[in-house]
Amino acid sequence: MTPSSIPAKKENRALAPLIGVAIFVLIGVAVTGIIEQRSLQTNGSVTSSALLGEWRTADGAARLLFRPDKTLSMSGAAGQSGSEDGEYELQSAGVVLVNLKNGKRFAAHFREFTPNQFDLVDAETQGVRVFAKVSGG
């Protein structure tokens, strides 16, 4: 070994803990960013009072009416003639499950930054329709 290589090893040993700390901090920042992004996408909870009333698509072709007794009426959904009754269930993270009596299932996704509209996702086809609040309950 030459005397010049010994200090180089000591410098590498001194840098190893600093690199480990830097990696740990970067991972922490990345995880925090991912959690914050998810929070922006799905944050909030839905209260019954905010949900109650009539909701329609922008073109007015589909209509949902949420009632206080956790029942609903849906009309104008794809492949549906007339009105269909069903039930809904409030979930955490701004999700409302919708189960119609004809067996169709949907999930409504509410977001804090758009409280007067939600995305309704068909469980079978994964099709999405946007509904906006028309009136209170």
Side-chain angles (χ1 to χ4, degrees), residues 67-132:
R67 299 183 193 102
D69 63 356
K70 304 274 192 225
T71 63
L72 62 89
S73 178
M74 181 183 220
S75 59
Q80 177 182 344
S81 60
S83 181
E84 186 68 40
D85 291 328
E87 298 177 341
Y88 66 91
E89 178 184 342
L90 301 173
Q91 299 284 305
S92 62
V95 176
V96 176
L97 299 180
V98 173
N99 297 305
L100 298 180
K101 289 184 178 177
N102 66 4
K104 287 211 167 254
R105 299 171 55 125
F106 301 88
H109 297 272
F110 286 82
R111 290 172 179 80
E112 205 170 79
F113 54 88
T114 54
N116 292 322
Q117 76 177 33
F118 64 86
D119 299 334
L120 188 72
V121 181
D122 186 316
E124 184 178 324
T125 66
Q126 297 300 308
V128 178
R129 295 186 85 176
V130 178
F131 283 78

Side-chain angles (χ1 to χ4, degrees), residues 43-75:
N43 193 16
S45 60
V46 182
T47 62
S48 290
S49 61
L51 183 62
L52 298 179
E54 182 178 0
W55 299 76
R56 288 188 182 261
T57 55
D59 62 4
R63 174 184 173 267
L64 271 169
L65 178 63
F66 291 93
R67 299 183 193 102
D69 63 356
K70 304 274 192 225
T71 63
L72 62 89
S73 178
M74 181 183 220
S75 59

Side-chain angles (χ1 to χ4, degrees), residues 36-45 93-94 110-113:
E36 195 63 33
Q37 179 66 26
R38 281 220 170 169
S39 177
L40 285 173
Q41 292 174 353
T42 62
N43 193 16
S45 60
F110 286 82
R111 290 172 179 80
E112 205 170 79
F113 54 88

